[in-house]
Amino acid sequence: MDDVAQVQCPYCFEWVEIVVDPATRGELIQDCEVCCRPWRLLVRRRRDGSPLVTVDRAQ
């Protein structure tokens, strides 16, 4: 089952729900569903396996 995380776009500041595969770790590039600008997502995992996702503007 995939994990779900709420993140805030660093451009338009809208909250967006993203789906993260349980095996995903590391850096990803993804576009905002609202404004279509690129994000740099950093996916880490807590001890219980739940995702910890941070979002920055992609360069």
Side-chain angles (χ1 to χ4, degrees):
M1 177 175 231
D2 291 335
D3 295 317
V4 177
Q6 289 274 340
V7 296
Q8 187 175 28
C9 175
Y11 295 100
C12 69
F13 305 107
E14 290 289 329
W15 285 95
V16 179
E17 190 173 87
I18 62 169
V19 177
V20 182
D21 184 280
T24 301
R25 286 172 176 71
E27 188 174 310
L28 306 165
I29 301 296
Q30 180 173 325
D31 291 340
C32 176
E33 295 175 7
V34 178
C35 70
C36 300
R37 292 183 178 169
W39 299 337
R40 182 179 70 91
L41 299 171
L42 180 59
V43 180
R44 294 178 286 165
R45 296 286 171 170
R46 296 181 178 100
R47 290 180 190 249
D48 67 358
S50 64
L52 179 60
V53 180
T54 55
V55 180
D56 292 317
R57 294 179 179 197
Q59 305 248 345

